[in-house]
Amino acid sequence: MLAFLIKRLIQAVVVMFVISIISFSIQDNLGDPLRELVGQSVSEAERELLRDKLGLNDSFLVQYVRFAGKALQGDLGNSYFFKKPALEVILAKLPATLDLVFGATLIIVFLSIPLGVFSALKPQSIFSKLIMGLSTVGISIPVFLTAICLIYIFAIELSWAPAFGRGDTGSFLGLWDTSFLTIDGLSHLILPCITLASIMLPLFIRLIRSEMLEVLQSEYVRFAWAKGLSPSRIHYIHALKNTMLPVITVGGVQIGTMVAYTILTETVFQWPGMGFLFLEAVNRVDTPLIVAYMIVVGGIFILVNTIVDLIYGLVNPTVKLIRSK
């Protein structure tokens, strides 16, 4: 396990290096940051002086080496708009985004597993066909359209849930402000979390169903039937455990991806998270904030995938045997 962790750490460093180069290289194509810093009334001579001061006239290699050196010390630059360290601004918005991702993950886990298993065990039932039909529709509908429909039905017509904003938050151990600790915060979470979950829920239902159907046809399941084991033991212990192995792998990748998918959800619901902040940074050509966002999201993605690999190794003992050879 230690060798595996070292290997993954090396891979993470390489991936983060690539992400940093890509993130830093696109900043020149986003527009002129001085436009937002000084406006249109400043003369060209003053603009050039400010460019020299900010190092914008240096070559790409010089700028990247300077950026990488500071990044290794935890300095991803200062936001042009907020006049604060970009990493500090992003981390301040991180709890709101993680609230959405955590809420959506709960919805996906508690709905996809029972619905996927039921669809596999009773594939000819009307309810199973309805689940498969709705999952097909769910995959086809863009997330922003889902958000607009939910707002219109449940916020405007029925007035069951707020249409925008985060609501009141509570402090968790004095370190983390979360919407899960207040009634108002939970009410604001409902529609955004359902919207975000709608991206992955159909995928997981269909994945669990297909994997379960394949496992139910395997030799060891037939042997379990021949031994006279109860259907519930066969379905929920022998079959479901092996069904979840590929789901864990895919799930880790998709949950990490949801951090990036929050951009549209946060924009529609005016949710004050990292995704909404990223779009504002693009509109303002706040390049340090854009670069810092991409690096932070990349780091979260790598962290989630490493944790998933560790969990997969604990769930599937054969993985340890393969690595030890």
Side-chain angles (χ1 to χ4, degrees):
M1 186 63 71
L2 180 60
F4 170 72
L5 284 175
I6 295 174
K7 181 180 178 181
R8 287 309 304 261
L9 181 60
I10 295 173
Q11 292 176 349
V13 171
V14 174
V15 173
M16 288 303 300
F17 174 69
V18 174
I19 291 175
S20 67
I21 291 179
I22 296 174
S23 302
F24 192 79
S25 63
I26 66 172
Q27 64 178 347
D28 292 334
N29 300 317
L30 296 175
D32 186 6
L34 293 182
R35 183 187 64 188
E36 299 296 329
L37 283 174
V38 300
Q40 302 294 329
S41 59
V42 178
S43 66
E44 190 62 30
E46 291 176 315
R47 286 173 179 270
E48 286 301 317
L49 288 175
L50 187 55
R51 282 182 179 278
D52 289 333
K53 181 179 179 181
L54 295 175
L56 298 177
N57 288 329
D58 296 335
S59 65
F60 174 82
L61 182 59
V62 172
Q63 291 187 54
Y64 177 75
V65 170
R66 182 168 57 238
F67 166 78
K70 293 181 179 180
L72 290 175
Q73 302 175 20
D75 182 5
L76 297 180
N78 291 324
S79 167
Y80 294 150
F81 179 79
F82 292 97
K83 312 298 182 184
K84 295 179 180 178
L87 185 59
E88 178 183 328
V89 176
I90 290 175
L91 292 180
K93 301 293 184 179
L94 179 61
T97 295
L98 292 185
D99 275 356
L100 281 186
V101 174
F102 181 69
T105 302
L106 291 178
I107 294 174
I108 292 171
V109 170
F110 286 107
L111 287 182
S112 64
I113 295 177
L115 292 179
V117 170
F118 179 85
S119 299
L121 296 179
K122 301 194 179 287
Q124 300 303 321
S125 70
I126 296 176
F127 186 58
S128 294
K129 294 179 180 179
L130 179 63
I131 293 172
M132 290 298 100
L134 291 176
S135 66
T136 302
V137 174
I139 293 174
S140 306
I141 298 177
V143 63
F144 67 87
L145 184 58
T146 302
I148 293 172
C149 291
L150 290 177
I151 290 173
Y152 177 75
I153 295 173
F154 296 102
I156 297 176
E157 292 295 327
L158 299 177
S159 299
W160 287 358
F164 63 91
R166 192 182 181 194
D168 297 333
T169 60
S171 178
F172 179 71
L173 300 178
L175 302 172
W176 193 271
D177 290 333
T178 175
S179 299
F180 283 95
L181 297 180
T182 66
I183 300 298
D184 185 58
L186 285 172
S187 66
H188 282 79
L189 270 172
I190 294 174
L191 295 185
C193 286
I194 293 175
T195 300
L196 188 59
S198 68
I199 305 172
M200 303 295 179
L201 182 59
L203 170 66
F204 277 84
I205 291 175
R206 301 179 76 87
L207 176 62
I208 292 172
R209 178 182 181 273
S210 63
E211 292 294 334
M212 188 76 170
L213 287 173
E214 183 177 348
V215 170
L216 289 174
Q217 301 300 319
S218 60
E219 294 295 331
Y220 71 88
V221 171
R222 294 178 182 177
F223 182 70
W225 283 111
K227 288 178 63 177
L229 298 180
S230 64
S232 60
R233 182 175 179 83
I234 294 173
H235 292 157
Y236 302 112
I237 296 181
H238 294 279
L240 183 59
K241 180 180 179 181
N242 289 280
T243 296
M244 296 308 295
L245 293 178
V247 175
I248 290 174
T249 303
V250 176
V253 175
Q254 297 300 331
I255 290 174
T257 306
M258 272 203 298
V259 176
Y261 280 172
T262 58
I263 291 178
L264 287 177
T265 303
E266 291 182 1
T267 301
V268 175
F269 288 97
Q270 297 293 290
W271 189 265
M274 291 197 308
F276 189 61
L277 176 69
F278 174 74
L279 284 184
E280 289 183 326
V282 171
N283 291 330
R284 295 166 179 154
V285 198
D286 195 342
T287 50
L289 200 55
I290 295 171
V291 173
Y293 170 85
M294 296 180 69
I295 291 176
V296 169
V297 170
I300 292 174
F301 190 84
I302 293 172
L303 177 63
V304 170
N305 278 272
T306 302
I307 294 174
V308 168
D309 282 346
L310 293 175
I311 295 174
Y312 190 86
L314 295 174
V315 174
N316 187 2
T318 61
V319 174
K320 300 176 184 177
L321 294 177
I322 293 173
R323 290 184 186 136
S324 63
K325 292 181 180 180

